[in-house]
Amino acid sequence: MPTKRHAHAAFSLKRRDLLTGSAAVLAIGTLAPAAFAAPDPSLKDFGAARGIAFGCAVGAKDLAANPDLAAAIARDCAIVVPENDMKWGAVEQVRGKPDYQASEAVADFAKRNSMDLRGHTAVWYLNMPAWAKQDITGPQGRDLILKRVRDVMGHFRGRVVEWDVINEMIDHTSGRADGMREWPPFAAGDVGFIADCFFAAKEADPHARLVYNDFGFEYVSAGEDQRRLTALRLMEQLKTRDAPIDGFGIQSHLKVGNNFKPQTFRRFLADIADFGLDISITEFDIDDQRLAPEIEARDAAVAEHARLFLETAFEEPAVKKLLTWGYSNRNTWLNAHRPRKDGIPHRALPLDDSMNRTPMWDAIADCLKNAPDRR
Ligand code: 9MR
């Protein structure tokens, strides 16, 4: 693994190349001296030139412990989302005593670096505080969830551009005819309860864009085919109820070797966009489980998969945000939650663990550059 010194050397070399290049152009008098200060192009710039906000998820702890990661994110990202720090279980461990210290640290980081902030997530059946798990099953369950929406979104009112109001309420394995998750507050209220969460969200933060976020729409398989249909039906039902929903979040936790059919995914994006919704790619990363350990080949396959997926995604003008779930391979949830069988770390993200670009970075850059302009 290259040391920090190597990473620095690589950076200096790039700067030197850039300066030499600028000097050469200056010598023939076509560039203003300001070009000397021009930084390396960043993903946020490529995205901005097409009307796509590029960013990533990061946690307060990771920011504090990894200054090099913080610097890389500040350079490349126009938007950040706290990976875990806004979740109910993180914020309100003690009932009635919310602690926003960690989520505020991420919000601060965003502000200091002129980035937008995404909110994740007001309602999720996972990562709840221990004290709430029992209570949400009772008659007060729905009120408790609605209060949580008002609390967290009210706290950040005016500071979050886009909120995942609801996360992961589709479950094709639930056995329910409607394909929705078996979860007490939902079962009691049907889709009307999800709509109520959006109404509460709108009151709590009228200017944030309100999103339904979920996984498992990207590939062709019996389960995902069903999940896409359920999602479309859900959007239709929410629209029928005039729920204030602005966008649909496709998590995009991809896996090399899964069956990606561009035309199927493209159709789904168009169908979602037809509801008048924006689409955000909210948690992009690539699981390389099925690939042999050799790094170069894994990086190439991951980049190729990224390219195929993003090319297809960006064809749809409603896709206006792309966030990766983590930014460097040093900090990916996959190593803890989806470890490779051989135990070696995943190559899932745009930077390696020394903050050098992986081929996935180039794939994202190319896809952003080639995306149709939606500004
Ligand atoms: O990456 C997150 C991991 O650190 C947490 O332990 C886990 C449980 O809170 O959540 C992970 O993030 C999930 C996200 O919030 C929702 N979509 C799936 C993500 C990966 O599991």
Side-chain angles (χ1 to χ4, degrees):
M1 184 206 300
T3 60
K4 267 192 188 152
R5 215 148 46 78
H6 281 110
H8 180 72
F11 179 67
S12 310
L13 189 68
K14 261 189 237 131
R15 287 287 301 166
R16 216 172 27 242
D17 286 350
L18 189 76
L19 292 178
T20 320
S22 305
V25 179
L26 257 188
I28 55 169
T30 51
L31 263 189
F36 274 113
D40 254 2
S42 71
L43 295 184
K44 73 176 165 202
D45 299 329
F46 295 138
R50 293 292 180 266
I52 300 170
F54 176 80
C56 74
V58 70
K61 269 201 192 127
D62 286 344
L63 278 178
N66 303 273
D68 51 352
L69 173 70
I73 293 174
R75 220 176 62 82
D76 255 345
C77 295
I79 181 165
V80 283
V81 57
E83 181 172 353
N84 292 310
D85 300 318
M86 285 179 174
K87 291 173 183 171
W88 197 7
V91 166
E92 200 177 351
Q93 279 177 24
V94 182
R95 185 170 191 163
K97 293 203 170 18
D99 176 357
Y100 291 104
Q101 215 180 318
S103 45
E104 284 290 2
V106 180
D108 245 36
F109 170 72
K111 194 170 176 203
R112 271 186 280 116
N113 292 288
S114 312
M115 302 177 199
D116 283 339
L117 184 62
R118 262 195 117 246
H120 176 82
T121 169
V123 182
W124 193 22
Y125 75 102
L126 287 179
N127 211 315
M128 280 195 295
W131 60 262
K133 283 184 189 153
Q134 188 54 40
D135 291 5
I136 58 126
T137 65
Q140 300 307 308
R142 297 182 62 199
D143 289 344
L144 211 52
I145 302 289
L146 293 172
K147 179 177 183 315
R148 151 70 184 166
V149 171
R150 290 188 202 102
D151 284 352
V152 70
M153 291 189 58
H155 177 84
F156 285 101
R157 184 183 174 107
R159 294 191 282 159
V160 169
V161 292
E162 179 171 292
W163 259 106
D164 291 331
V165 177
I166 303 272
N167 193 42
E168 302 178 2
M169 287 303 285
I170 293 170
D171 178 11
H172 65 283
T173 68
S174 69
R176 288 174 63 117
D178 61 6
M180 298 299 291
R181 186 171 297 284
E182 197 59 70
W183 193 53
F186 170 74
D190 208 54
V191 172
F193 172 62
I194 294 185
D196 286 349
C197 289
F198 278 94
F199 286 116
K202 188 75 188 170
E203 265 177 45
D205 192 350
H207 298 298
R209 295 188 69 76
L210 306 180
V211 168
Y212 175 84
N213 190 52
D214 214 326
F215 65 89
F217 305 121
E218 303 84 3
Y219 295 110
V220 171
S221 71
E224 300 211 6
D225 296 350
Q226 194 190 329
R227 294 178 66 86
R228 281 187 293 273
L229 287 177
T230 303
L232 293 173
R233 200 166 47 226
L234 176 61
M235 293 307 109
E236 187 179 25
Q237 287 171 300
L238 289 174
K239 283 287 174 186
T240 305
R241 287 171 162 80
D242 284 327
I245 176 170
D246 304 297
F248 189 86
I250 300 180
Q251 292 184 5
S252 314
H253 291 290
L254 304 188
K255 189 168 184 172
V256 179
N258 278 5
N259 186 12
F260 181 74
K261 288 237 164 65
Q263 63 276 29
T264 305
F265 188 55
R266 181 71 192 84
R267 176 79 252 158
F268 177 64
L269 296 175
D271 288 345
I272 291 284
D274 280 348
F275 287 109
L277 299 171
D278 277 353
I279 298 169
S280 299
I281 308 290
T282 51
E283 305 182 15
F284 185 64
D285 61 11
I286 303 188
D287 184 325
D288 67 9
Q289 236 5 291
R290 294 196 181 101
L291 300 170
E294 207 262 315
I295 286 185
E296 214 172 302
R298 269 197 287 157
D299 280 356
V302 163
E304 191 192 324
H305 202 65
R307 223 173 262 278
L308 184 63
F309 176 79
L310 292 176
E311 266 169 18
T312 309
F314 291 156
E315 274 171 27
E316 170 52 61
V319 174
K320 295 195 181 127
K321 289 186 179 63
L322 166 64
L323 289 95
T324 58
W325 203 242
Y327 202 52
S328 135
N329 289 331
R330 196 195 286 165
N331 308 87
T332 167
W333 72 289
L334 289 166
N335 290 334
H337 295 265
R338 303 276 187 279
R340 284 176 56 98
K341 296 211 170 54
D342 55 16
I344 61 174
H346 278 273
R347 305 281 298 179
L349 288 165
L351 300 183
D352 69 11
D353 52 14
S354 304
M355 304 305 135
N356 296 314
R357 295 168 181 176
T358 62
M360 189 209 251
W361 192 99
D362 296 311
I364 295 174
D366 289 344
C367 292
L368 288 170
K369 283 189 251 180
N370 295 334
D373 193 353
R374 58 264 279 147
R375 284 170 304 168

